[in-house]
Amino acid sequence: MKGLIKWAVANTPAMNTIMVGVLLVGVLSAASMRREIFPEFELEILLVTVPYPGASPDEVEDGICRKIEEAVRSIDGIKKQTSVAAEGVGYMVLELRSDIRDVQKVLGEVRSEIDRIPSFPLLAEDPEIKQITLRQPAINVAVLAPEASKPAASPGGKRRGLPRAEASAGGQESGDRSQESDARSAEEQLQLREMTELVRDELVQLSDVSQANILGALNYQIDVEISEDTLRKYGLTLQRVAQIIRRENIEMPGGNMKTDSQTVLLRGKNKRIRGEEIAKIPLITQPSGQVIRVGALGVVRDEFEDQAAINRINGRPGLVISIDRTAEEDLLSIAETVRNYVDQKELPGGYDLIYYADRSLDVKDRLELLTKNGLQGLALVFLALALFLNLRLAFWVAMGIPIALLGACGVL
């Protein structure tokens, strides 16, 4: 150590060159370093999910959870098993030991053992096995639907409505208005969902954004409503109608047809994904040869799953897009790119875009606090040494603070 210090004192130009090099490398590293709120880490937790529609928790426990427990019991590396039997779905949380180096290997073993279970209930859906990952959102973007039109007011300030005789016409008229309102609401939800998906696709195409997910969006659903009288008239049941629609609405491979010059792939494409297409499925063929289709017996609508909550943003219906970041992306760059997009984007039809929950503000505050404390410490060290010793010594000792910080940035 004494020899190193002696060499450093004797070779001042070399030490100054090293110092300048450390400062330059540190500045470049700090400018290109990935900035985030918390460090990225991986959880050693696996989640197994098996949907079992319509089953009670007791049925889920016996038909799903117990069988999964028996299947994964012998797998090495599992520290703890936690089963949850809920209505219509069964969960299994597998906590792995902290010394497991390859989580994906254990994940593959769990998936292989569960796939070997032959006795899942007939109505149980395919199991989903995945590793729980924590994704940190960078910023949220909300798509606001147009404001609902308010009823027109008469010159006297009172609400203009139906005449008294028409307003008391009976329950059928109220039911018709309710159906019209529901249809209008479903159409507005469809338009909002389509607009949100359009914005989501544009966000993903931005240079700094790789992940954008719609939060709280309901799944698409096609409703087929047939009255009880109509079912009885044609000798049908809802189960029979569902069976026919399921049988006719399929897409299946048909093999290959080889010719002298080419091979043609054959497929039976009869898959319908719109309500108007479902309405054309033949339901009954009468003895006279007349084909009665689904739309002739009932009402077919493109809608969503039943919702238990209402999304309101600033008092208006809306959907939220969460912009997530990966372990290699910079939080500040993502947030700035998204803010610029929202500020410049103009949506048609009265739709609006806003952003909120900007996590980059926390990162900026912490970086500003770090910079402020570093400058204050540097000033205090320099002033204290300059007052009680000499100016040259104070300068070189104070230079140790930026060299240490920027050198650490270079190493990081």
Side-chain angles (χ1 to χ4, degrees):
M1 180 61 69
K2 291 184 179 179
L4 180 61
I5 296 176
K6 185 176 181 180
W7 179 86
V9 173
N11 296 272
T12 304
M15 296 307 300
N16 291 336
T17 302
I18 294 175
M19 180 191 68
V20 173
V22 169
L23 293 176
L24 291 177
V25 171
V27 170
L28 294 176
S29 301
S32 60
M33 189 180 299
R34 178 171 51 88
R35 295 158 292 183
E36 59 186 8
I37 300 178
F38 295 106
E40 193 78 19
F41 62 93
E42 193 175 74
L43 294 176
E44 291 84 12
I45 298 178
L46 306 181
L47 176 63
V48 182
T49 306
V50 182
Y52 188 6
S56 65
D58 291 336
E59 293 174 330
V60 172
E61 181 182 6
D62 294 334
I64 303 294
C65 295
R66 293 187 186 278
K67 296 176 181 179
I68 296 178
E69 291 174 0
E70 294 294 333
V72 303
R73 192 183 303 276
S74 60
I75 297 179
D76 183 35
I78 296 179
K79 176 183 177 182
K80 182 181 179 182
Q81 299 180 13
T82 303
S83 299
V84 179
E87 183 177 356
V89 65
Y91 301 97
M92 169 72 74
V93 180
L94 302 175
E95 182 180 350
L96 307 183
R97 296 199 309 266
S98 58
D99 59 346
I100 297 297
R101 295 182 178 272
D102 192 355
V103 178
Q104 294 302 315
K105 179 182 178 181
V106 181
L107 178 63
E109 294 179 0
V110 171
R111 181 177 289 110
S112 177
E113 292 295 333
I114 293 178
D115 289 341
R116 290 196 187 102
I117 299 177
S119 56
F120 273 144
L122 182 62
L123 296 180
E125 299 180 5
D126 295 334
E128 179 185 6
I129 304 100
K130 63 181 180 180
Q131 181 184 4
I132 295 180
T133 56
L134 296 178
R135 296 197 178 276
Q136 297 184 4
I139 189 173
N140 290 345
V141 176
V143 181
L144 306 184
E147 295 184 2
S149 59
K150 298 180 179 180
S154 61
K158 295 182 180 180
R159 181 176 177 178
R160 185 187 304 167
L162 294 173
R164 185 178 303 274
E166 296 180 6
S168 60
Q172 183 175 358
E173 183 177 345
S174 299
D176 293 341
R177 288 199 300 269
S178 178
Q179 292 180 359
E180 292 177 0
S181 177
D182 293 341
R184 185 169 59 253
S185 177
E187 182 65 25
E188 292 174 353
Q189 292 180 8
L190 283 171
Q191 294 175 358
L192 176 60
R193 177 68 178 270
E194 292 175 355
M195 183 62 67
T196 305
E197 291 178 350
L198 175 63
V199 174
R200 190 266 311 273
D201 294 340
E202 292 183 355
L203 285 171
V204 173
Q205 294 176 5
L206 298 177
S207 58
D208 294 320
V209 178
S210 63
Q211 305 218 0
N213 303 307
I214 301 177
L215 303 181
L218 300 176
N219 295 324
Y220 287 112
Q221 176 175 287
I222 299 177
D223 290 343
V224 179
E225 297 180 359
I226 302 178
S227 66
E228 183 179 357
D229 294 337
T230 303
L231 292 174
R232 289 180 176 178
K233 178 180 178 181
Y234 292 95
L236 295 172
T237 63
L238 289 178
Q239 290 78 7
R240 178 60 179 166
V241 173
Q243 182 181 0
I244 295 174
I245 294 176
R246 187 180 298 111
R247 184 189 64 199
E248 297 293 332
N249 190 37
I250 59 174
E251 180 177 351
M252 56 188 305
N256 298 327
M257 182 178 67
K258 295 184 178 180
T259 64
D260 295 337
S261 59
Q262 61 183 349
T263 300
V264 180
L265 179 64
L266 302 178
R267 295 188 63 83
K269 300 188 65 174
N270 199 34
K271 188 74 174 180
R272 299 169 170 88
I273 59 175
R274 303 285 295 184
E276 57 186 13
E277 298 171 347
I278 296 292
K280 298 177 182 179
I281 293 179
L283 206 57
I284 301 174
T285 302
Q286 294 185 333
S288 61
Q290 180 184 5
V291 178
I292 300 178
R293 305 181 184 276
V294 175
L297 299 184
V299 179
V300 183
R301 291 194 298 265
D302 290 306
E303 294 197 5
F304 296 95
E305 291 181 348
D306 294 337
Q307 58 181 354
I310 299 176
N311 290 331
R312 293 274 177 182
I313 304 169
N314 291 345
R316 295 164 59 181
L319 287 176
V320 178
I321 304 174
S322 175
I323 313 299
D324 300 334
R325 68 166 189 85
T326 62
E328 293 78 20
E329 294 175 339
D330 183 70
L331 179 60
L332 298 187
S333 300
I334 295 175
E336 183 179 2
T337 302
V338 173
R339 288 196 301 266
N340 293 336
Y341 170 82
V342 173
D343 293 338
Q344 298 174 5
K345 182 66 176 179
E346 294 184 1
L347 298 181
Y351 289 90
D352 292 322
L353 274 182
I354 62 171
Y355 61 83
Y356 69 98
D358 188 355
R359 277 77 175 181
S360 66
L361 299 178
D362 296 333
V363 178
K364 289 181 179 179
D365 292 341
R366 296 182 184 186
L367 291 176
E368 292 176 357
L369 180 62
L370 177 65
T371 304
K372 178 180 177 181
N373 291 343
L375 292 177
Q376 290 178 351
L378 179 65
L380 290 175
V381 169
F382 179 79
L383 291 177
L385 294 178
L387 288 176
F388 295 99
L389 295 176
N390 61 71
L391 189 62
R392 182 180 179 184
L393 179 62
F395 173 78
W396 286 112
V397 172
M399 281 296 295
I401 295 178
I403 291 175
L405 288 177
L406 295 176
C409 289
V411 174
L412 294 176

